[in-house]
Amino acid sequence: MKLTTFAWNVYDGQQALESLDESQKETRIPKLPSLLEFFGYVFYFPAFLIGPSLTFTEYMALIDETLYKDAAPASPNSSKRVPIGRKRVAYQKLVFGISCIAFYALYGSTFNYTVTSADWWMTKPFWYRFLYAQIMGVVQRVRYYGAWSLTEGGCIFTGLGFNGFDKDGNALWDKAANINVMNIEFAPNVKVLLDNWNINTNTWLRNSVYKRLAPPGKKPGALVTMYTFMTSAIWHGIYPGYYLTFFLGGLISSAARQVRTYIRPFFLPALLPPKSKVLPPPTLVKRVYDILGTVACLGIINYMVAPFMLLELRPCIIAWNTLYWYGHVVVLGWLLWGQLGGFRWLGKLVKARAEKAASKEAMQVHMEMEDREHKLASGMMTPSSSGGTLVVPPFDVAMKGMEEAGDALKLGLARGGGHSKKA
């Protein structure tokens, strides 16, 4: 991972800046480093075996302390700029990691996907096997939480992982994180789960595979997503279970993207832009949608990872067979229905909903303008009810007011002239 990342960063360093995106501009290497710097990066000890992966620019920012350029010295008598709190966070990661490993040592053999080949497994009803599979998925993930938390703590202890300050001025040490447990176990959709699982490997896949396969100026399609997942499978190893998992993962990712495109808009304001990153407070219906999304997401993922844990082809097929292939049925059924016209039909419904909301809003604005014009018609200029600024009434009303003011002025001058003659 480090070598391919380094190679692409060197390649980006030879390209014109306008052809790069923001992340590529930050990580580009315009000049080759020395051998000492290169080997120091490659053999950076805390991340040597299982990550987290990092770029060469991040490593050099740690070495020359430009990583802490926005931080004040730790003490008046010290030139070190490493913010305080580093050791405390590292020890917290240590405790959490050891706790996860201990939990897995206690329950990992009981809640293991190998039980799907046991004789007693098929004597249980499907609902029991389904729920048991969900518990197995959680227990098997815990060992990864433990390992990655320990390596993250090691990186933080050396000073890597600093990510600025929060609103209260406390140092944040989460940039070396490889997982976000809460966002995994309670993810409302597959995208959120994948974005928070093996974060640095996902970053590597996105920057070194996904972006590189996309045609210039075009958005990557489903085929690019599938190539990226298969690259991840090859990177993991040669066991059939890896390929079964990541091939299905590519299909799940594509299916989840269609759900976000065609189902999610019905639970959001109709006129909200599709790519909006700022969402209004969730309604009750949206909260129910998110809860159902969490249940569906974990149900599919815990099914998908069975081959990843079993590795050999025969146990993988047996495991999915005992679960009646429910993950494949849901994912392939949704994609097939969509290709047969379902997505087109849902797209029309989403568009019609937005047009209806826009028409209703336009009618409301028109009625408000008519009401305001009616209120303004009684005077030449009146303060607006919103901010107190002067507003101009309709032209015919203004002309009538000016004529009345002119007549009053003439009458006043005539009376004043009469008084002066008498004097």
Side-chain angles (χ1 to χ4, degrees), residues 144-411:
Y144 295 97
Y145 296 159
W148 282 329
S149 294
L150 291 177
T151 58
E152 182 188 353
C155 291
I156 293 173
F157 207 85
T158 66
L160 189 71
F162 176 66
N163 198 21
F165 299 91
D166 63 15
K167 61 181 181 180
D168 298 321
N170 301 314
L172 297 174
W173 293 95
D174 56 0
K175 200 167 186 179
N178 220 19
I179 49 169
N180 187 320
V181 175
M182 296 301 293
N183 283 346
I184 293 171
E185 299 300 335
F186 298 98
N189 54 67
V190 173
K191 182 182 184 303
V192 172
L193 189 150
L194 295 179
D195 286 347
N196 290 277
W197 170 265
N198 205 354
I199 296 171
N200 291 283
T201 299
N202 288 335
T203 301
W204 169 69
L205 287 169
R206 181 175 65 249
N207 293 332
S208 298
V209 181
Y210 188 74
K211 289 182 179 179
R212 309 297 173 171
L213 290 174
K218 294 185 179 180
K219 185 178 179 181
L223 193 59
V224 174
T225 299
M226 188 61 67
Y227 286 150
T228 304
F229 272 91
M230 295 313 295
T231 300
S232 181
I234 295 170
W235 175 77
H236 276 85
I238 61 173
Y239 283 105
Y242 293 140
Y243 296 88
L244 291 174
T245 294
F246 286 106
F247 181 79
L248 179 58
L251 295 176
I252 290 173
S253 182
S254 296
R257 189 180 301 114
Q258 304 307 325
V259 170
R260 289 177 62 83
T261 301
Y262 296 112
I263 300 296
R264 186 169 176 261
F266 291 104
F267 300 89
L268 294 172
L271 296 180
L272 186 72
K275 300 294 184 181
S276 177
K277 295 184 180 298
V278 181
L279 299 178
T283 61
L284 177 61
V285 175
K286 178 61 167 59
R287 291 184 187 277
V288 172
Y289 169 79
D290 288 339
I291 292 173
L292 294 177
T294 299
V295 173
C297 176
L298 292 178
I300 290 292
I301 293 298
N302 291 330
Y303 169 89
M304 180 192 80
V305 299
F308 190 91
M309 302 299 175
L310 296 171
L311 300 179
E312 298 289 349
L313 181 61
R314 180 177 172 78
C316 296
I317 299 302
I318 291 175
W320 275 349
N321 195 46
T322 62
L323 293 172
Y324 297 147
W325 302 85
Y326 76 81
H328 286 80
V329 171
V330 171
V331 173
L332 293 177
W334 165 251
L335 290 175
L336 180 61
W337 179 80
Q339 292 302 317
L340 292 176
F343 294 156
R344 192 180 305 112
W345 175 67
L346 287 173
K348 290 179 180 178
L349 291 181
V350 171
K351 183 179 179 181
R353 179 173 178 262
E355 290 176 349
K356 182 178 179 181
S359 176
K360 183 177 180 181
E361 184 171 298
M363 180 62 69
Q364 183 177 355
V365 171
H366 178 71
M367 292 176 64
E368 289 176 354
M369 291 180 64
E370 283 190 341
D371 183 62
R372 197 168 83 178
E373 288 183 0
H374 177 72
K375 292 179 180 179
L376 292 174
S378 59
M380 189 178 94
M381 299 190 75
T382 59
S384 69
S385 59
S386 57
T389 55
L390 295 178
V391 292
V392 180
F395 180 76
D396 55 340
V397 177
M399 290 301 297
K400 182 178 179 182
M402 291 177 66
E403 292 174 357
E404 293 175 353
D407 293 338
L409 180 61
K410 291 178 181 178
L411 181 60

Side-chain angles (χ1 to χ4, degrees), residues 68-75 80-83 165:
Y68 320 114
K69 61 181 182 297
D70 297 328
S75 64
K80 297 290 185 181
R81 306 186 72 87
V82 182
F165 299 91

Side-chain angles (χ1 to χ4, degrees), residues 32-52:
L32 289 177
S34 67
L35 281 177
L36 179 61
E37 292 171 333
F38 175 73
F39 284 119
Y41 163 65
V42 172
F43 294 102
Y44 173 64
F45 182 73
F48 182 68
L49 290 178
I50 59 173

Side-chain angles (χ1 to χ4, degrees), residues 118-170:
D119 294 335
W120 64 267
W121 178 252
M122 283 304 293
T123 64
K124 302 295 183 181
F126 174 72
W127 65 265
Y128 178 92
R129 282 175 276 149
F130 175 82
L131 294 178
Y132 201 99
Q134 311 314 309
I135 300 174
M136 288 192 293
V138 175
V139 173
Q140 295 302 311
R141 281 195 293 275
V142 167
R143 59 174 166 169
Y144 295 97
Y145 296 159
W148 282 329
S149 294
L150 291 177
T151 58
E152 182 188 353
C155 291
I156 293 173
F157 207 85
T158 66
L160 189 71
F162 176 66
N163 198 21
F165 299 91
D166 63 15
K167 61 181 181 180
D168 298 321
N170 301 314

